[in-house]
Amino acid sequence: MLFTTGCAATAQDTPAAEVVLKVGDQKGGAKSVLTAAGLLNDFPYKIEWSTFTSGPPLLEAASAGAIDVGGVGNTPPIFAAAANAKIAAVGASQGQVEADAILVQESSPLKTVADLKGKNIAVAKGSSAHGQVLLTLRKAGLTTKDVTLNFLQPSDAYSAFTQGKVDAWAVWDPYTAQAQQEAKARVLATGEGLSNGYGFQVAGRKALDDKGKNPAIKEYLIRYYKAQKWADTHREEWAKAWSAETGLKYEVALAAVNRNGDQAVKIDDRLIKSEQELADAFTEDRTLPGKVDFAKFVDTRFQGDLA
């Protein structure tokens, strides 16, 4: 059953000028694409941005009420749900998973996923890359207990990878493109055929219970998914803006843009089933201590507006 209780999105007791929407973001994320698409120019609410290195710390902040809403990949909400975080997925998108990669150095002797047995893999704990590692290993008949996972955020993982301190690195774009172009990384495996490619906008329960913030969250979600559409049809323009915002080389940004193109999708039974299967895989791997009921961490109140 979908979680739909709470204040109606249309209720607004607080004037827009007094509402401050606190948004969690990641490198080259929502702020960059909304700015490039020109969709922040007349945004009727004040936004306070906070940048996070990956999804898990962003959701910790959302659960604590430090931010109201933010974007993450397919795995962070599962780990947050396992910790009974006070969050709910309120919007979803789906994209290509070619950039969700397990990378090795160009000269690495590792040729197949089976070769990872007994090796060290750098990955951000609870990130979408963590999910991809789990599924990739499982397909090869391995578990996460057959490797050593070095839980590192992307910047630290990049250093460890380039210095040869780990055997492989599981990550997403733009880090995948950056490692390929600047460190000559080789792709050992991608998420194709394994990862569901979902990404989520997730809100804190405190924000969802705030009548004044609900219209701001709704407006933000509508504009964010419009910006995704813009980016998909203005790829070179988006890559230039992304490069300028993040300091990434234009070639890195363009490579990442050309193999992504996330688009809004409905939060429906099919999506929930896919996320539940991923959650169950983590439980079976004993990475999570118990069963997660993903449907309890979904709120569909904005779906009609996002359609």
Side-chain angles (χ1 to χ4, degrees):
M1 175 181 287
L2 304 187
F3 180 93
T4 56
T5 59
C7 303
T10 54
Q12 184 174 4
D13 295 339
T14 309
E18 297 179 17
V19 175
V20 177
L21 187 66
K22 298 178 180 179
V23 182
D25 202 10
Q26 296 186 53
K27 182 179 181 180
K31 185 180 180 182
S32 295
V33 72
L34 282 162
T35 301
L39 290 168
L40 286 182
N41 298 336
D42 60 346
F43 194 73
Y45 306 91
K46 181 181 178 181
I47 296 181
E48 287 184 0
W49 297 93
S50 298
T51 304
F52 297 84
T53 54
S54 64
L58 187 155
L59 292 189
E60 286 180 17
S63 180
I67 62 170
D68 302 317
V69 66
V72 300
N74 64 354
T75 303
I78 291 171
F79 274 67
N84 286 315
K86 297 175 182 178
I87 55 96
V90 292
S93 59
Q94 189 172 30
Q96 303 300 316
V97 293
E98 179 188 347
D100 297 335
I102 297 178
L103 305 172
V104 295
Q105 291 194 8
E106 187 177 32
S107 60
S108 171
L110 306 181
K111 303 298 181 186
T112 69
V113 174
D115 295 334
L116 288 170
K117 187 172 184 178
K119 304 300 182 183
N120 292 280
I121 305 173
V123 64
K125 186 175 183 178
S127 67
S128 59
H130 194 174
Q132 196 223 324
V133 167
L134 171 69
L135 297 177
T136 301
L137 291 173
R138 195 162 75 153
K139 185 179 179 182
L142 302 174
T143 74
T144 58
K145 308 305 181 287
D146 292 310
V147 299
T148 298
L149 297 182
N150 293 71
F151 292 126
L152 299 170
Q153 293 299 320
S155 58
D156 294 328
Y158 185 80
S159 296
F161 179 76
T162 55
Q163 293 171 22
K165 294 181 179 178
V166 293
D167 301 299
W169 180 24
V171 74
W172 56 90
D173 263 337
Y175 303 104
T176 299
Q178 184 178 21
Q180 286 179 297
Q181 292 193 25
E182 297 178 4
K184 304 299 180 186
R186 174 165 54 85
V187 174
L188 187 71
T190 72
E192 293 180 278
L194 294 171
S195 176
N196 57 28
Y198 290 127
F200 295 97
Q201 289 294 315
V202 179
R205 296 285 192 199
K206 183 179 179 181
L208 289 172
D209 288 340
D210 187 320
K211 291 181 180 181
K213 296 220 174 188
N214 266 249
I217 294 171
K218 180 181 76 172
E219 184 66 21
Y220 174 79
L221 293 174
I222 290 170
R223 292 187 184 223
Y224 174 73
Y225 290 118
K226 280 184 178 179
Q228 280 194 335
K229 281 189 175 182
W230 175 88
D232 193 43
T233 54
H234 298 76
R235 295 194 173 199
E236 291 187 6
E237 192 176 344
W238 167 221
K240 288 176 183 175
W242 200 8
S243 174
E245 175 77 18
T246 62
L248 290 167
K249 292 180 180 177
Y250 170 70
E251 293 77 14
V252 170
L254 185 61
V257 167
N258 280 337
R259 64 183 172 200
N260 283 293
D262 288 13
Q263 294 300 305
V265 294
K266 188 177 180 181
I267 297 179
D268 57 13
D269 290 343
R270 178 172 170 269
L271 177 151
I272 292 172
K273 181 174 182 287
S274 180
E275 284 293 288
Q276 186 61 52
E277 289 171 351
L278 178 57
D280 291 345
F282 272 109
T283 299
E284 290 165 15
D285 188 66
R286 296 184 180 178
T287 299
L288 296 179
K291 185 174 177 63
V292 170
D293 187 352
F294 187 78
K296 290 183 178 179
F297 294 85
V298 164
D299 189 312
T300 60
R301 73 180 72 183
F302 303 115
Q303 292 301 290
D305 299 293
L306 298 179

